[in-house]
Amino acid sequence: MKTFKRILIWLVAIIVLLILIGFLLPKTYRVERNIYIKANNQGVYDLVANLSKWDLWEPWSKQMDSTVTYEFSGTDGQVGATRKWNGKKLGDGQMTITQIVPGQSVNYDLAFMQGKFKSQSTMVMEPQGDSCKVTWSVTGNLGNNPASRYYGLFVNKMMGPDFEKGLAKLKKVSEE
């Protein structure tokens, strides 16, 4: 009985310690990747700003989830344009364009699981000689839940490869 009590005390102490550490972890996350594309800014911008063209290059497509369906609203390529999706593997979510600088950048809000998880994303196109540097980033707030903050430690490793795949496809489509 004494051994069981000690084990229980140690387990409780470890759990409390993990919770306290969780509160000390960053409250926000940021994932960023970039690529150089041998194309002009406007061509790349058109693929990014028009949500109906995302299926040409984004990494989260019907190839990843054959059950996914998309719904568009608003005017494509304008602030307020929205793309919603629902699929067995990709789940449900939506993206809404919040700010556009023609030929230079597109900002959009993301919401997953019926708005339970939210983040903000930006795609910036910068001319670099005969090429265009495209930077894709996403930021989000993990809130006060220590478990969510632990999740934040892995966001870059989870999302980064998808960003790299999407940028590689954007490069291929833009250069063709």
Side-chain angles (χ1 to χ4, degrees), residues 146-169:
S148 294
R149 291 186 183 190
Y150 276 105
Y151 167 78
L153 296 174
F154 303 99
V155 171
N156 196 37
K157 287 185 180 184
M158 291 169 44
M159 292 180 73
D162 284 345
F163 276 30
E164 291 165 9
K165 285 180 198 171
L167 289 170
K169 284 173 76 175

Side-chain angles (χ1 to χ4, degrees), residues 51 69-73 81-86 93-95:
L51 301 181
T69 58
Y70 298 101
E71 179 185 323
F72 297 93
S73 61
T82 299
R83 181 180 195 223
K84 294 181 182 179
W85 64 90
N86 196 348
Q94 78 174 40
M95 58 188 297

Side-chain angles (χ1 to χ4, degrees), residues 1-61:
M1 194 60 146
K2 208 176 198 182
T3 304
F4 177 73
K5 214 176 198 180
R6 283 186 179 162
I7 291 171
L8 188 61
I9 290 170
W10 274 104
L11 281 175
V12 169
I14 290 170
I15 291 170
V16 168
L17 181 63
L18 288 173
I19 291 171
L20 291 173
I21 290 171
F23 281 114
L24 298 174
L25 293 174
K27 196 174 189 175
T28 60
Y29 66 88
R30 179 175 178 83
V31 178
E32 181 176 299
R33 297 292 189 275
N34 61 55
I35 195 166
Y36 290 87
I37 299 174
K38 236 178 185 4
N40 66 35
N41 274 28
Q42 193 59 45
V44 177
Y45 170 81
D46 287 341
L47 289 168
V48 172
N50 293 294
L51 301 181
S52 62
K53 294 182 181 180
W54 274 54
D55 60 339
L56 297 173
W57 62 269
E58 74 162 330
W60 310 284
S61 64

